[in-house]
Amino acid sequence: MNNEFWAELSGVKKRFGKTVALDGLDLQVRRGELFSVLGPNGAGKSTAISLLLGLLQPDAGTARLFGRSPSLVEPRRHVGVMMQEVTLAPELRVHEHIALVASFYPSPLSPTEAMELANITALASRPYGKLSAGQKRQVQFAMAICGRPKLLFLDEPSVGLDVRARENMWGALRRVVANGASIVLTTHYLEEAESLSNRVAVLNKGRLIASGTVNEIRALVVRKHITCSTVLAADQIAAWPDVESVTREQQRLQISTSNSEAVVRRLLAADSNLQELEVRRAGLAEAFTELTQEAA
Amino acid sequence: MSTTTFEAIDKSSFPDVMSPGRLLRAYFTEARFESLRMFRVLGFSIPFLVLPVALYLLFGVVLFGDAVRNDPATGKFLFAAFSVFGVMGPGMFGFGATIATEREQGLLALKRALPAPTGSYLLAKLLMTMVFAVIVMATMIPAALFLGHLPLTFAECAKVTAISVLGSLPFCAIGLFIGTRASGKAAIAFVNLIYVPMMHVSGLFYPLPKFLRTISPIWPTYHLQQLVFSALAMPSYGRVVTHVAVLIGVTLILTLLSIRRLARVG
């Protein structure tokens, strides 16, 4: 076991009846990184996280948390958790929920400190059941950080948050990582993963199909997008070699190509008045779609 | 203005071992908040805290007060019956329905993912039930002494309280067994399916015809009531050791089956 990894799955297989949830998955989470686990529904993300939290046992392979079995309570005392599918007691007040979770840790923050970090001090005495969906997520975030965790598992942390609350949470996540903790993020907001992640893993059908930095993942998609204002007709450009598609939006053409350099050279040669030329690489969302479609 | 910074989170040298004091405090905190929240659920706390003493006063004082004054044994029978009735509900419904619902709502998974101390979740519910049982007895005894005019000694009161509070354990185990197997909605129906016959076919409130008396020992209520009768120096069926053994047996078997189920299925 390599101690540089705070959480690790090695060759993990997991079945539920006839369904193969994970098929030889390897994942490593290092110190001080925000690691996003992406994948379509049923890819095995939740199973992978459940194995790292000790909620499930692998059929084959090993799961390790700080070099130990996740079913032991000791490594879990370094872990904070925010689950998506959880309903907390509506009768308890916000500060009571946080005090309860804090009591499980050896050296926790006080509920007041945790609420300050999560920007929810004003909600302290509100019954949990009276909160909006976004406020509940903020409370769950405070519960996740109240034990001073080294490693945070966050499942869809910003669902239901308004723009300002989401920016606050993103800022909080960046500060958690800047202070040396690690975060494992599962999210359907690819914009969130693109903005926050140091590393990304893309799962599909229980296998790791790509992993690396956001730029490395984006670079896996060779297609680039060219936009420009031109007098050339869309049909004419669509017939050029290496051009995959051309669409017109008002005065601008949008061209998808796997050989942007050659297409740009030909565009400039064909239209000397060409303007507003822009070339951009595929985003994480597009890379994700392409990777998961290829693997399907 | 926020005064706490995120540097507070990164205390990489903090220990992963809990001191005994902190561990005890974790158990206590969970039990305190479990009790607090169940008190705040008025649909749970009012029926289970008020109904036993209210029904005892209705039957033992208002309706049959004269008969009880002439025959204290009838009064003691009613006191014993409503004491047992009072400790059944919190255990069966507090465990059964809430565990089934909380399993469905993902709370149990969250507790298992968090470093909650071993068994703190179940122990908190157990202590909550015992707190409810203590409160039930704390209302039943003054009602019996001052409104029911029962000649109870201090020792009898103490013994009945201890038996009733500990006697809530098999009902917790029944609730736990159902709660770990049924869905949230079905659990309430299943609990009622056992709770209602157990009240009426175990001889709790009225003497049973002979053919029903032969099957009444299958119910934990029968054994608990016989123990309360013994504590009140009233005639009872069977031996104390048999009743204690049955109640402990029911508690242990159902609890072990439930814990095994929770560990395997969650």
Side-chain angles (χ1 to χ4, degrees):
Chain A
M1 177 72 210
N2 191 333
N3 283 331
E4 80 177 278
F5 301 137
W6 280 4
E8 183 176 18
L9 294 178
S10 305
V12 163
K13 295 186 177 186
K14 184 71 188 174
R15 276 175 170 275
F16 297 104
K18 289 182 180 174
T19 308
V20 177
L22 295 179
D23 191 9
L25 181 65
D26 294 301
L27 278 185
Q28 296 87 28
V29 183
R30 303 184 186 115
R31 179 195 167 108
E33 70 173 359
L34 199 151
F35 180 61
S36 291
V37 182
L38 309 177
N41 292 334
K45 305 184 296 286
S46 298
T47 306
I49 303 301
S50 295
L51 286 158
L52 287 173
L53 289 170
L55 297 173
L56 295 171
Q57 299 300 316
D59 297 334
T62 53
R64 286 282 181 271
L65 201 52
F66 298 101
R68 306 174 75 180
S69 164
S71 30
L72 296 172
V73 73
E74 288 82 4
R76 291 208 312 276
R77 288 188 180 131
H78 296 299
V79 166
V81 183
M82 186 172 174
M83 289 178 164
Q84 192 189 359
E85 302 283 332
V86 67
T87 306
L88 301 174
E91 306 83 15
L92 286 183
R93 301 182 194 286
V94 167
H95 70 91
E96 292 167 342
H97 273 297
I98 297 167
L100 173 60
V101 173
S103 77
F104 300 154
Y105 291 89
S107 179
L109 299 171
S110 71
T112 309
E113 288 173 317
M115 287 187 291
E116 276 183 13
L117 289 179
N119 260 327
I120 53 164
T121 307
L123 304 177
S125 298
R126 296 269 303 277
Y128 183 79
K130 303 272 185 196
L131 303 180
S132 69
Q135 289 170 329
K136 286 177 180 170
R137 294 307 279 162
Q138 289 174 293
V139 173
Q140 289 168 24
F141 179 63
M143 290 163 64
I145 60 173
C146 72
R148 299 183 204 267
K150 289 178 179 175
L151 177 58
L152 271 171
F153 287 88
L154 306 178
D155 189 3
E156 304 285 355
S158 59
V159 167
L161 296 187
D162 60 31
V163 174
R164 194 172 159 195
R166 182 178 301 174
E167 278 172 5
N168 279 338
M169 184 173 284
W170 286 11
L173 297 183
R174 287 192 183 102
R175 289 196 294 277
V176 167
V177 173
N179 283 296
S182 296
I183 296 175
V184 178
L185 177 72
T186 45
T187 180
H188 280 99
Y189 288 128
L190 293 173
E191 182 197 348
E192 184 167 69
E194 187 159 15
S195 171
L196 296 172
S197 309
N198 305 109
R199 276 199 316 131
V200 173
V202 184
L203 306 191
N204 199 22
K205 296 184 177 173
R207 288 173 172 273
L208 182 68
I209 55 170
S211 75
T213 63
V214 170
N215 279 338
E216 285 168 347
I217 298 287
R218 288 167 60 190
L220 293 174
V221 178
V222 291
R223 185 192 317 117
K224 290 183 182 167
H225 299 288
I226 301 168
T227 51
C228 58
S229 289
T230 177
V231 293
L232 297 172
D235 293 350
Q236 181 188 347
I237 297 170
W240 293 356
D242 300 321
V243 171
E244 292 178 10
S245 66
V246 182
T247 53
R248 181 174 285 280
E249 285 176 13
Q250 295 172 336
Q251 295 306 308
R252 288 162 69 90
L253 283 186
Q254 191 158 85
I255 305 160
S256 292
T257 172
S258 54
N259 188 352
S260 56
E261 291 81 4
V263 174
V264 166
R265 271 194 291 271
R266 194 161 174 180
L267 276 170
L268 291 169
D271 179 3
S272 56
N273 286 322
L274 185 122
Q275 290 180 328
E276 297 180 58
L277 179 66
E278 196 178 323
V279 182
R280 64 180 172 81
R281 180 179 274 178
L284 184 62
E286 196 177 343
F288 172 80
T289 307
E290 183 146 316
L291 286 167
T292 50
Q293 276 174 351
E294 275 174 15
Chain B
M1 172 89 187
S2 173
T3 54
T4 308
T5 71
F6 277 83
E7 285 163 18
I9 290 180
D10 183 33
K11 291 276 179 76
S12 50
S13 60
F14 80 79
D16 61 13
V17 176
M18 294 274 272
S19 68
R22 277 211 66 83
L23 206 57
L24 203 63
R25 194 170 154 191
Y27 280 108
F28 172 76
T29 305
E30 179 124 38
R32 182 164 74 96
F33 285 132
E34 180 64 20
S35 301
L36 191 61
R37 86 178 183 97
M38 293 311 279
F39 279 118
R40 287 179 185 161
V41 182
L42 298 182
F44 180 83
S45 56
I46 289 178
F48 291 121
L49 291 177
V50 176
L51 214 57
V53 73
L55 289 174
Y56 167 72
L57 290 173
L58 177 67
F59 289 101
V61 177
V62 178
L63 295 180
F64 306 115
D66 291 340
V68 168
R69 263 192 290 281
N70 297 329
D71 178 17
T74 306
K76 283 187 175 182
F77 179 90
L78 289 172
F79 174 69
F82 286 106
S83 296
V84 173
F85 168 70
V87 301
M88 284 168 64
M92 292 184 70
F93 288 92
F95 260 91
T98 60
I99 284 191
T101 308
E102 288 169 5
R103 273 175 55 233
E104 280 183 346
Q105 292 175 339
L107 191 62
L108 231 70
L110 179 66
K111 287 277 166 72
R112 287 172 60 209
L114 290 171
T118 310
S120 65
Y121 173 77
L122 294 180
L123 203 63
K125 291 195 179 297
L126 189 70
L127 290 173
M128 175 276 294
T129 305
M130 289 182 149
V131 168
F132 269 69
V134 167
I135 295 172
V136 166
M137 293 314 298
T139 56
M140 284 292 295
I141 289 171
L145 288 172
F146 303 115
L147 300 173
H149 305 291
L150 284 188
L152 299 174
T153 65
F154 176 79
E156 285 175 335
C157 293
K159 276 194 278 186
V160 173
T161 301
I163 291 168
S164 300
V165 172
L166 290 174
S168 62
L169 293 178
F171 303 108
C172 292
I174 295 170
L176 178 62
F177 185 78
I178 295 168
T180 51
R181 279 162 172 77
S183 68
K185 283 176 185 162
I188 296 172
F190 280 123
V191 169
N192 269 310
L193 211 60
I194 297 175
Y195 182 76
V196 174
M198 189 151 63
M199 266 193 308
H200 296 289
V201 196
S202 64
L204 191 60
F205 295 122
Y206 32 78
L208 294 173
K210 195 172 178 183
F211 76 98
L212 276 178
R213 261 209 313 270
T214 55
I215 59 160
S216 52
I218 67 166
W219 303 106
T221 33
Y222 166 85
H223 298 280
L224 185 58
Q225 191 175 27
Q226 301 308 314
L227 288 177
V228 175
F229 286 159
S230 297
L232 294 172
M234 292 172 65
S236 63
Y237 295 108
R239 296 164 59 208
V240 167
V241 67
T242 312
H243 301 309
V244 172
V246 170
L247 294 175
I248 290 175
V250 168
T251 306
L252 287 182
I253 291 168
L254 295 183
T255 303
L256 288 175
L257 288 173
S258 306
I259 288 174
R260 204 176 72 155
R261 169 90 180 178
L262 277 178
R264 281 171 46 206
V265 183

